[in-house]
PDB file of all heavy atoms in Angstrom:
ATOM      1  N   LEU A  85       5.739 -22.120   2.339  1.00 72.00           N
ATOM      2  CA  LEU A  85       6.321 -20.789   2.073  1.00 72.00           C
ATOM      3  C   LEU A  85       5.319 -19.673   2.328  1.00 72.00           C
ATOM      4  O   LEU A  85       5.665 -18.609   2.836  1.00 72.00           O
ATOM      5  CB  LEU A  85       6.802 -20.724   0.617  1.00 72.00           C
ATOM      6  CG  LEU A  85       8.068 -21.501   0.263  1.00 72.00           C
ATOM      7  CD1 LEU A  85       8.350 -21.386  -1.234  1.00 72.00           C
ATOM      8  CD2 LEU A  85       9.256 -20.988   1.052  1.00 72.00           C
ATOM      9  N   GLY A  89       7.251 -18.631   5.337  1.00 65.00           N
ATOM     10  CA  GLY A  89       8.488 -18.412   4.600  1.00 65.00           C
ATOM     11  C   GLY A  89       8.810 -16.963   4.299  1.00 65.00           C
ATOM     12  O   GLY A  89       9.078 -16.590   3.151  1.00 65.00           O
ATOM     13  N   ASN A  90       8.812 -16.064   5.272  1.00 75.00           N
ATOM     14  CA  ASN A  90       9.239 -14.699   5.052  1.00 75.00           C
ATOM     15  C   ASN A  90      10.072 -14.220   6.240  1.00 75.00           C
ATOM     16  O   ASN A  90       9.938 -14.710   7.352  1.00 75.00           O
ATOM     17  CB  ASN A  90       8.033 -13.782   4.820  1.00 75.00           C
ATOM     18  CG  ASN A  90       7.111 -13.707   6.010  1.00 75.00           C
ATOM     19  OD1 ASN A  90       7.400 -13.047   7.009  1.00 75.00           O
ATOM     20  ND2 ASN A  90       5.971 -14.381   5.919  1.00 75.00           N
ATOM     21  N   MET A 102      11.482  -9.993   3.190  1.00 84.00           N
ATOM     22  CA  MET A 102      11.945 -10.858   2.096  1.00 84.00           C
ATOM     23  C   MET A 102      11.139 -12.154   2.082  1.00 84.00           C
ATOM     24  O   MET A 102      10.895 -12.739   3.144  1.00 84.00           O
ATOM     25  CB  MET A 102      13.431 -11.175   2.254  1.00 84.00           C
ATOM     26  CG  MET A 102      14.355  -9.989   2.075  1.00 84.00           C
ATOM     27  SD  MET A 102      16.108 -10.469   2.149  1.00 84.00           S
ATOM     28  CE  MET A 102      16.899  -8.885   1.853  1.00 84.00           C
ATOM     29  N   THR A 103      10.776 -12.581   0.884  1.00 83.00           N
ATOM     30  CA  THR A 103       9.943 -13.776   0.733  1.00 83.00           C
ATOM     31  C   THR A 103      10.369 -14.526  -0.514  1.00 83.00           C
ATOM     32  O   THR A 103      10.700 -13.910  -1.526  1.00 83.00           O
ATOM     33  CB  THR A 103       8.457 -13.399   0.614  1.00 83.00           C
ATOM     34  OG1 THR A 103       8.096 -12.503   1.654  1.00 83.00           O
ATOM     35  CG2 THR A 103       7.575 -14.649   0.720  1.00 83.00           C
ATOM     36  N   LEU A 104      10.362 -15.861  -0.458  1.00 79.00           N
ATOM     37  CA  LEU A 104      10.554 -16.696  -1.639  1.00 79.00           C
ATOM     38  C   LEU A 104       9.183 -17.134  -2.159  1.00 79.00           C
ATOM     39  O   LEU A 104       8.322 -17.542  -1.393  1.00 79.00           O
ATOM     40  CB  LEU A 104      11.397 -17.931  -1.322  1.00 79.00           C
ATOM     41  CG  LEU A 104      12.911 -17.734  -1.169  1.00 79.00           C
ATOM     42  CD1 LEU A 104      13.586 -19.058  -0.875  1.00 79.00           C
ATOM     43  CD2 LEU A 104      13.509 -17.096  -2.409  1.00 79.00           C
ATOM     44  N   ARG A 105       8.996 -17.038  -3.477  1.00 78.00           N
ATOM     45  CA  ARG A 105       7.736 -17.408  -4.073  1.00 78.00           C
ATOM     46  C   ARG A 105       8.005 -18.314  -5.281  1.00 78.00           C
ATOM     47  O   ARG A 105       8.954 -18.101  -6.032  1.00 78.00           O
ATOM     48  CB  ARG A 105       6.965 -16.153  -4.558  1.00 78.00           C
ATOM     49  CG  ARG A 105       6.427 -15.309  -3.396  1.00 78.00           C
ATOM     50  CD  ARG A 105       5.183 -15.948  -2.828  1.00 78.00           C
ATOM     51  NE  ARG A 105       4.616 -15.156  -1.749  1.00 78.00           N
ATOM     52  CZ  ARG A 105       4.740 -15.435  -0.474  1.00 78.00           C
ATOM     53  NH1 ARG A 105       5.455 -16.501  -0.101  1.00 78.00           N
ATOM     54  NH2 ARG A 105       4.200 -14.688   0.458  1.00 78.00           N
ATOM     55  N   PRO A 106       7.136 -19.328  -5.523  1.00 77.00           N
ATOM     56  CA  PRO A 106       7.277 -20.132  -6.742  1.00 77.00           C
ATOM     57  C   PRO A 106       7.118 -19.256  -7.973  1.00 77.00           C
ATOM     58  O   PRO A 106       6.313 -18.332  -8.008  1.00 77.00           O
ATOM     59  CB  PRO A 106       6.132 -21.131  -6.630  1.00 77.00           C
ATOM     60  CG  PRO A 106       5.764 -21.168  -5.180  1.00 77.00           C
ATOM     61  CD  PRO A 106       6.035 -19.790  -4.656  1.00 77.00           C
ATOM     62  N   VAL A 131      12.051 -20.283  -8.410  1.00 79.00           N
ATOM     63  CA  VAL A 131      11.706 -19.477  -7.222  1.00 79.00           C
ATOM     64  C   VAL A 131      12.079 -18.031  -7.496  1.00 79.00           C
ATOM     65  O   VAL A 131      13.075 -17.749  -8.166  1.00 79.00           O
ATOM     66  CB  VAL A 131      12.413 -19.984  -5.948  1.00 79.00           C
ATOM     67  CG1 VAL A 131      11.836 -21.293  -5.488  1.00 79.00           C
ATOM     68  CG2 VAL A 131      13.913 -20.073  -6.147  1.00 79.00           C
ATOM     69  N   ARG A 132      11.275 -17.125  -6.967  1.00 83.00           N
ATOM     70  CA  ARG A 132      11.514 -15.688  -7.114  1.00 83.00           C
ATOM     71  C   ARG A 132      11.679 -15.071  -5.739  1.00 83.00           C
ATOM     72  O   ARG A 132      10.977 -15.436  -4.789  1.00 83.00           O
ATOM     73  CB  ARG A 132      10.325 -15.041  -7.829  1.00 83.00           C
ATOM     74  CG  ARG A 132      10.533 -13.557  -8.117  1.00 83.00           C
ATOM     75  CD  ARG A 132       9.270 -12.930  -8.697  1.00 83.00           C
ATOM     76  NE  ARG A 132       8.220 -12.826  -7.684  1.00 83.00           N
ATOM     77  CZ  ARG A 132       6.937 -12.663  -7.948  1.00 83.00           C
ATOM     78  NH1 ARG A 132       6.521 -12.646  -9.191  1.00 83.00           N
ATOM     79  NH2 ARG A 132       6.055 -12.566  -6.973  1.00 83.00           N
ATOM     80  N   LEU A 133      12.596 -14.120  -5.637  1.00 83.00           N
ATOM     81  CA  LEU A 133      12.807 -13.401  -4.382  1.00 83.00           C
ATOM     82  C   LEU A 133      11.994 -12.117  -4.413  1.00 83.00           C
ATOM     83  O   LEU A 133      12.180 -11.267  -5.294  1.00 83.00           O
ATOM     84  CB  LEU A 133      14.294 -13.091  -4.187  1.00 83.00           C
ATOM     85  CG  LEU A 133      14.650 -12.221  -2.976  1.00 83.00           C
ATOM     86  CD1 LEU A 133      14.271 -12.935  -1.682  1.00 83.00           C
ATOM     87  CD2 LEU A 133      16.132 -11.864  -2.975  1.00 83.00           C
ATOM     88  N   ASP A 134      11.058 -11.979  -3.459  1.00 84.00           N
ATOM     89  CA  ASP A 134      10.262 -10.762  -3.316  1.00 84.00           C
ATOM     90  C   ASP A 134      10.794  -9.958  -2.134  1.00 84.00           C
ATOM     91  O   ASP A 134      10.955 -10.493  -1.033  1.00 84.00           O
ATOM     92  CB  ASP A 134       8.790 -11.084  -3.078  1.00 84.00           C
ATOM     93  CG  ASP A 134       8.080 -11.498  -4.355  1.00 84.00           C
ATOM     94  OD1 ASP A 134       8.722 -11.474  -5.404  1.00 84.00           O
ATOM     95  OD2 ASP A 134       6.894 -11.858  -4.282  1.00 84.00           O
ATOM     96  N   LEU A 173      16.595 -16.200   5.247  1.00 78.00           N
ATOM     97  CA  LEU A 173      15.435 -16.585   4.450  1.00 78.00           C
ATOM     98  C   LEU A 173      15.604 -17.991   3.876  1.00 78.00           C
ATOM     99  O   LEU A 173      14.650 -18.774   3.834  1.00 78.00           O
ATOM    100  CB  LEU A 173      15.228 -15.573   3.322  1.00 78.00           C
ATOM    101  CG  LEU A 173      14.081 -15.872   2.356  1.00 78.00           C
ATOM    102  CD1 LEU A 173      12.746 -15.854   3.066  1.00 78.00           C
ATOM    103  CD2 LEU A 173      14.070 -14.846   1.212  1.00 78.00           C
ATOM    104  N   ALA A 174      16.834 -18.325   3.419  1.00 78.00           N
ATOM    105  CA  ALA A 174      17.071 -19.648   2.861  1.00 78.00           C
ATOM    106  C   ALA A 174      16.851 -20.742   3.902  1.00 78.00           C
ATOM    107  O   ALA A 174      16.202 -21.770   3.612  1.00 78.00           O
ATOM    108  CB  ALA A 174      18.491 -19.714   2.313  1.00 78.00           C
ATOM    109  N   SER A 177      13.140 -20.950   4.703  1.00 79.00           N
ATOM    110  CA  SER A 177      12.391 -21.499   3.580  1.00 79.00           C
ATOM    111  C   SER A 177      12.561 -23.024   3.524  1.00 79.00           C
ATOM    112  O   SER A 177      11.593 -23.746   3.197  1.00 79.00           O
ATOM    113  CB  SER A 177      12.847 -20.871   2.266  1.00 79.00           C
ATOM    114  OG  SER A 177      12.610 -19.485   2.287  1.00 79.00           O
ATOM    115  N   LEU A 210      14.069 -27.878  -3.558  1.00 78.00           N
ATOM    116  CA  LEU A 210      14.511 -26.560  -3.129  1.00 78.00           C
ATOM    117  C   LEU A 210      16.020 -26.410  -3.293  1.00 78.00           C
ATOM    118  O   LEU A 210      16.517 -25.355  -3.733  1.00 78.00           O
ATOM    119  CB  LEU A 210      14.108 -26.315  -1.656  1.00 78.00           C
ATOM    120  CG  LEU A 210      14.444 -24.934  -1.110  1.00 78.00           C
ATOM    121  CD1 LEU A 210      13.700 -23.856  -1.884  1.00 78.00           C
ATOM    122  CD2 LEU A 210      14.086 -24.838   0.368  1.00 78.00           C
TER     123      LEU A 210
END
Side-chain angles (χ1 to χ4, degrees):
L85 287 177
N90 63 76
M102 293 184 178
T103 311
L104 283 181
R105 289 283 181 258
V131 289
R132 184 186 71 199
L133 175 63
D134 283 357
L173 177 63
S177 298
L210 183 62

